[in-house]
Amino acid sequence: MSLIKADDAQFSEALKSNEKVIVKFYADWCGSCRLMAPKYKRLAENEAYSDVAFLDVNAEHSPGARKAAGVDNLPFFAAFKNGELVEGSSAGKIDFVEKLIEKVS
């Protein structure tokens, strides 16, 4: 599945229409967020994760999504299964995101 840029409304819709959702919260000014972007995009395009929806949410423009995941630092990754938050944390390594994917699979 491809990477979806989402606002609050699209975030809510993605949680309703997908069983497994991984979300990266970022801000335009965040250097670490920009460094993680290509790695996160490659995960989203990986066929092994075709049943997972990958969202990219600007934390500054989407307060509802930010609150739902408990974002406290950036970049922040969150895993949702059946619309419920499984785990979320700020992280600078793609390994953490792969572990989140395993938790919702």
Side-chain angles (χ1 to χ4, degrees), residues 2 11 25 27 35 49-50 60 62 81 86 92 98 100 104:
S2 63
F11 170 80
F25 291 90
L35 288 173
Y49 306 130
S50 62
E60 292 185 314
S62 303
K81 187 167 186 176
V86 173
E98 292 172 329
L100 284 179
V104 296

Side-chain angles (χ1 to χ4, degrees), residues 17-73:
S17 59
N18 295 283
E19 178 186 357
K20 305 168 190 171
V21 179
I22 301 294
V23 185
K24 182 187 89 180
F25 291 90
Y26 71 97
D28 294 332
W29 50 262
C30 173
S32 295
C33 300
R34 286 194 296 271
L35 288 173
M36 291 290 293
K39 296 173 187 172
Y40 186 63
K41 183 178 179 186
R42 280 195 293 276
L43 276 182
E45 294 172 347
N46 186 331
E47 287 294 319
Y49 306 130
S50 62
D51 61 338
V52 179
F54 289 86
L55 304 182
D56 217 3
V57 174
N58 187 320
E60 292 185 314
H61 300 151
S62 303
R66 186 178 66 230
K67 184 177 179 182
V71 175
D72 60 359
N73 205 346

